Amino acid sequence: MLDKRNFYIDGAWVAPAVENDFSVINPATEQPCAVISLGDQADTDAAVAAARNAFDSWSQTSKEYRLQLLQALLAEYKNRAADMAAAISMEMGAPTDLATTAQAGCGIGHIKGFIEAFAEMEFEQSINAQNSSEQIIKEPIGVCGLITPWNWPMNQVTLKVIPALAVGCTVVLKPSEIAPLSSIIFAEIVEAAGYPAGVFNMLNGDGVGVGTQLSSHPDVDMLSFTGSTRAGALITKAAADTVKRVTLELGGKGANIIFADADEKAVKRGVVHCFGNSGQSCNAPSRMLVERSIYAQAVETAKAAAASVKVGSPTENGRHIGPVISEVQFDKIQGLIQVGIDESNLIAGGLGRPEGLEQGYYVQPTIFADVNNDMRIAREEVFGPVLTMIPFDTEEEAIAIANDTVYGLTNYLQTQDPEKAKRVARRLRSGMVRVNGIDSQQAAPFGGYKQSGNGREGGVWGLEDYLEIKHVTDWK
């Protein structure tokens, strides 16, 4: 079992102030794979103090110097990519191929995207072409507390840490305590890249402890959090007394609107997408809205697609899905599957583990048909491989159902009519709309409306989240 009790604070690996061991559980075996320590107030204070002490000098470094360090970090990340994939597979159950290509691989993509955006960004400019005596200056906001989740660990770590460091902020990273191993490797990568002491700090802890301490800390200028909507609300309240900036990337219950003129692969594509990463993605298309004229056939297609999705060990190669992260999540998902059975029509999957998998937090790929949007299974974020299918009659009805949710992260639509696609996309109340299975091909803003959060991560928008705007007059 790995011993990973130390924290990375002020450029050194240090023991926690007070021993507080916590076992990291491999979700495929249900056995401990590592031990970490959960930090307390003294550890949080030390990390924040290191970041505060480093901020003045770091924020005044040149853009060129910070760009060089980003390039060094990218090179080190590539060198450790195999280690990163192995850690992610062990800590959260991502199958080997997914852990290598998508989970660890997305970190490389985000770092590259931020390097490109940062290289092009201007930090000082006249307020307009007619008035050069008034200047707009973009400056780093200060010390940033960054709290990241377990489901896409490096996706979220790189979407937060990289832009913060790029623009001149200093950071304290608190990864999820149930999937911390990848962030420990990331801290080693930052250290190897040559960042000055105190610029980047990492400590483990839970939400009640370190999470709340960072949120309410008077020397933290900004708090960026990715996780559940419930936790996001608590963080916002904890941060209110210090009036710090809070950015949130929270839950989702994405609608996937399939019109009668959708391409023949649309239904299967939607099923596979929903079940990807074992359904543990906030932007999963978990509500499939199908035009009634093709609904019966879509149900049969979805049923067959679910049967084709294999579930298996993370250590095996292939395009299968692995376990969900923990016993707590497994039990929650099983409870919601029972709710769906009671409410609607189960057409695939169901309760219990898949056949042949008696150990590990494996969930059967599950689909409910004949759902309406008032049902609990259609309204709550399951965060597992569970899809609901809802029929609709008109375009207006589809839009109304899609928008009838407290969330607004990502919606999807499938149609071969470009004008319909534009018309519907404009009316969907979400931060992102994906049409006909096409994802973003470049660094783009990731974030949502309503209870899916605020702020945007990725590209120039992600950099701007960590900047203050200063207006100076009589600039000569």
Side-chain angles (χ1 to χ4, degrees), residues 12-352:
W13 291 94
V14 299
V18 178
E19 290 185 7
N20 186 7
D21 286 358
F22 181 87
S23 294
V24 180
I25 305 299
N26 182 328
T29 66
E30 303 181 42
Q31 299 300 311
C33 61
V35 60
I36 63 170
S37 187
L38 301 181
D40 70 2
Q41 187 70 57
D43 302 302
T44 302
D45 289 344
V48 172
R52 174 58 63 197
N53 291 337
F55 176 70
D56 281 346
S57 59
W58 175 248
S59 63
Q60 297 305 309
T61 56
S62 69
K63 178 180 176 181
E64 290 72 25
Y65 174 59
R66 297 200 298 274
L67 195 56
Q68 289 173 5
L69 283 175
L70 288 177
Q71 296 283 8
L73 191 152
L74 175 60
E76 291 294 338
Y77 190 105
K78 289 178 178 178
N79 289 339
R80 299 293 303 277
D83 296 337
M84 185 65 78
I88 293 172
S89 184
M90 181 190 298
E91 69 188 359
M92 57 83 59
T96 297
D97 288 1
L98 177 72
T100 301
T101 57
Q103 287 278 5
C106 70
I108 294 174
H110 290 320
I111 298 169
K112 287 180 176 178
F114 281 124
I115 287 173
E116 292 171 2
F118 180 62
E120 296 296 321
M121 194 168 196
E122 296 292 336
F123 289 85
E124 295 188 8
Q125 61 192 70
S126 299
I127 194 167
N128 57 51
Q130 291 74 40
N131 187 353
S132 61
S133 67
E134 295 186 33
Q135 192 81 349
I136 297 296
I137 303 175
K138 299 176 182 177
E139 298 180 338
I141 192 169
V143 175
C144 300
L146 310 177
I147 302 176
T148 57
W150 48 261
N151 61 319
W152 284 93
M154 277 305 104
N155 185 69
Q156 293 309 129
V157 166
T158 52
L159 279 173
K160 296 183 192 300
V161 172
I162 302 303
L165 296 182
V167 302
C169 294
T170 56
V171 308
V172 178
L173 170 66
K174 189 208 86 66
S176 168
E177 69 277 16
I178 61 175
L181 304 180
S182 52
S183 288
I184 293 170
I185 291 175
F186 185 82
E188 294 170 353
I189 290 169
V190 174
E191 181 181 33
Y195 278 81
V199 170
F200 170 87
N201 306 274
M202 187 226 64
L203 73 160
N204 288 307
D206 56 19
V208 174
V210 174
T212 299
Q213 291 157 14
L214 285 174
S215 303
S216 59
H217 204 291
D219 285 334
V220 171
D221 301 294
M222 174 178 170
L223 197 291
S224 179
F225 169 78
T226 298
S228 71
T229 296
R230 176 182 174 275
L234 292 172
I235 282 169
T236 303
K237 291 173 184 176
D241 287 343
T242 51
V243 199
K244 58 173 57 70
R245 181 182 299 174
V246 177
T247 60
L248 305 169
E249 200 275 287
L250 307 175
K253 193 72 175 176
N256 183 10
I257 304 173
I258 300 182
F259 289 100
D261 64 350
D263 68 88
E264 62 180 13
K265 296 180 180 180
V267 172
K268 182 177 181 180
R269 186 169 63 237
V271 171
V272 171
H273 190 173
C274 179
F275 293 162
N277 202 41
S278 302
Q280 300 171 123
S281 298
C282 52
N283 62 344
S286 54
R287 291 182 298 153
M288 183 177 285
L289 282 50
V290 184
E291 194 163 353
R292 198 175 299 275
S293 63
I294 62 166
Y295 181 74
Q297 181 57 54
V299 168
E300 294 304 312
T301 301
K303 184 177 179 180
S308 72
V309 175
K310 305 303 181 185
V311 184
S313 170
T315 61
E316 297 173 1
N317 293 109
R319 300 184 56 138
H320 58 286
I321 64 174
V324 297
I325 184 69
S326 68
E327 183 178 12
V328 170
Q329 284 296 117
F330 179 84
D331 290 345
K332 173 198 168 188
I333 294 163
Q334 294 300 306
L336 285 170
I337 288 174
Q338 183 62 62
V339 167
I341 291 171
D342 295 341
E343 288 181 324
S344 59
N345 178 18
L346 176 70
I347 65 165
L351 294 169

